[in-house]
Amino acid sequence: MMLVDPTPEKKRRRRVLAVQNVKGGVGKTTVAVNLASLLVERYGKKVLLIDADPQCNASLYLLSDERFLAATDSGSVAEKEHGNLWDLFHKDVRYIDLVTGRRHGPRTSFDRHYHVVKRGTGGGLLSLVCGSARLSDIQEMGPELVVSRIRDWLRGSASGDAEVVIIDCPPSIGSLTLSALRAADDILVPMSPDAFALHGLPLLLQKLDQYRTPLRIKCRVAGVLFTLYPPIGAEVRPAADAYASRIEEICRARTPPVAVFAARISRDEAYPQSFERHEPLPFSNDPKLRSLVDELDGVARDLKLVGDAI
Ligand SMILES: Nc1ncnc2c1ncn2[C@@H]1O[C@H](COP(=O)(O)OP(=O)(O)OP(=O)(O)O)[C@@H](O)[C@H]1O
Ligand SMILES: [Mg+2]
């Protein structure tokens, strides 16, 4: 089903959203990919997903193994049609590796650093800047050298005409995450309702305070999104509810308060299965997935990416 975004054309501007939590395995990539797909399929939006994690899970979710290898094979630059995020970071950088003495860069310039992954049924378009395992190089560079790379590229015409940009961050705060935060308007913080959940948020907020001025980072925390939420009736559901209430209290008590979204993402096997099929939930026709896709719709509304209140 296609819904029309009622926002008048002139009020629209590109929104850049970083999905980050220092805690690993909380559903950042799953939310980033499925939220992007929802906006494309249900609202006909042009969405650009940037995979800023050396684990490349967002790229592996969306691309077949062959396309992923073709996008990341550093040995055959001549064969590659599009650059990935590593190429984008290195396109005009020259440096000498002090350990090996090898010269690097500048790399072959690519016309495009994104792939078109999917055209939605109503004119929407999902594009991807593919990740690369070599992005761990960037993590080792001083943030001041690379912090503006994603932002500058997004400001240029070579980044296309996406209305929404979603950046999937690694579970750490190094140069890659900081470049994502420098480019972002908002940060979405996925969090599972469990005993370990709160460790990541204070660290993220502390790092934001530390780097905001020196690295000119202006984004704000849009809110915490509970993910992997056990279904009603599950044995662990009461414990999850108790953790969620506690987390809400702590977020409310912070200065300034951190919002906790009303929308929640249920724990459901459909997510890992969709990863294996390289098919995000919103692109499936299976009616059994409808309630899960509606939860993603709630996230898009809480983020004001769609709806009257943009
Ligand atoms: N709502 C969900 N229900 C069930 N399984 C989920 C859900 N969300 C994520 N998963 C599974 O949990 C695992 C971790 O999810 P994901 O990769 O999205 O987390 P992440 O925060 O991006 O991890 P990392 O910090 O390593 O980048 C994956 O196997 C994924 O399929
Ligand atoms: Mg991830």
Side-chain angles (χ1 to χ4, degrees):
M1 183 187 51
M2 240 317 269
L3 298 182
V4 175
D5 181 356
T7 316
E9 201 65 47
K10 64 176 172 12
K11 273 178 74 184
R12 291 200 187 127
R13 67 171 196 92
R14 181 185 272 189
R15 281 274 299 278
V16 183
L17 181 73
V19 183
Q20 218 285 330
N21 186 339
V22 186
K23 175 96 177 62
V26 292
K28 294 182 288 296
T29 301
T30 302
V31 166
V33 169
N34 282 281
L35 180 62
S37 307
L38 171 99
L39 295 171
V40 170
E41 187 62 26
R42 203 176 263 195
Y43 293 95
K45 289 202 180 275
K46 294 191 176 72
V47 181
L48 175 67
L49 185 69
I50 300 181
D51 186 353
D53 186 350
Q55 299 180 95
C56 302
N57 288 340
S59 308
L60 289 163
Y61 203 147
L62 288 171
L63 301 179
S64 64
D65 295 351
E66 299 75 47
R67 273 189 93 185
F68 176 73
L69 283 175
T72 52
D73 183 3
S74 55
S76 61
V77 172
E79 305 283 308
K80 279 205 296 184
E81 276 180 53
H82 307 299
N84 56 45
L85 188 62
W86 189 89
D87 298 310
L88 198 156
F89 268 95
H90 281 76
K91 66 181 170 24
D92 54 359
V93 177
R94 290 164 201 264
Y95 62 94
I96 298 176
D97 186 323
L98 292 177
V99 179
T100 64
R102 269 180 61 194
R103 284 171 185 279
H104 292 272
R107 300 272 300 182
T108 310
S109 261
F110 294 96
D111 290 340
R112 283 252 295 267
H113 287 87
Y114 61 86
H115 300 245
V116 170
V117 173
K118 172 95 183 174
R119 288 178 199 279
T121 45
L125 190 70
L126 178 58
S127 306
L128 168 77
V129 177
C130 190
S132 162
R134 305 176 87 201
L135 282 170
S136 39
D137 294 5
I138 314 289
Q139 296 285 60
E140 287 158 20
M141 290 184 180
E144 63 287 355
L145 293 176
V146 291
V147 75
S148 296
R149 294 256 150 188
I150 297 178
R151 183 174 188 267
D152 291 350
W153 179 73
L154 284 176
R155 293 190 152 197
S157 58
S159 66
D161 57 355
E163 298 152 271
V164 179
V165 178
I166 299 180
I167 311 177
D168 186 32
C169 296
S172 59
I173 302 196
S175 293
L176 278 169
T177 292
L178 291 167
S179 329
L181 300 186
R182 168 96 171 105
D185 302 305
D186 300 287
I187 316 173
L188 171 66
V189 187
M191 204 183 269
S192 49
D194 59 37
F196 306 105
L198 262 177
H199 294 284
L201 184 65
L203 201 56
L204 172 64
L205 296 174
Q206 182 210 323
K207 291 283 174 189
L208 263 178
D209 280 350
Q210 183 182 342
Y211 287 112
R212 205 175 264 291
T213 307
L215 298 182
R216 288 172 291 144
I217 290 172
K218 298 207 173 69
C219 63
R220 54 175 206 110
V221 177
V224 164
L225 168 66
F226 287 122
T227 55
L228 290 150
Y229 212 96
I232 294 170
E235 203 183 328
V236 289
R237 172 74 181 221
D241 285 338
Y243 282 122
S245 305
R246 177 84 189 106
I247 291 164
E248 271 166 356
E249 260 171 46
I250 292 171
C251 288
R252 216 176 301 130
R254 290 197 71 102
T255 322
V258 173
V260 176
F261 289 159
R264 289 173 176 182
I265 302 293
S266 296
R267 179 191 293 271
D268 197 294
E269 276 309 296
Y271 281 107
Q273 286 163 2
S274 79
F275 184 95
E276 276 170 33
R277 287 198 311 274
H278 306 285
E279 184 184 57
L281 270 40
F283 292 138
S284 164
N285 293 322
D286 186 347
K288 291 202 290 294
L289 301 178
R290 179 67 198 242
S291 62
L292 294 173
V293 177
D294 286 345
E295 289 178 351
L296 294 162
D297 197 291
V299 179
R301 286 174 185 280
D302 281 353
L303 281 165
K304 300 187 173 49
L305 291 169
V306 296
D308 304 328
I310 301 180

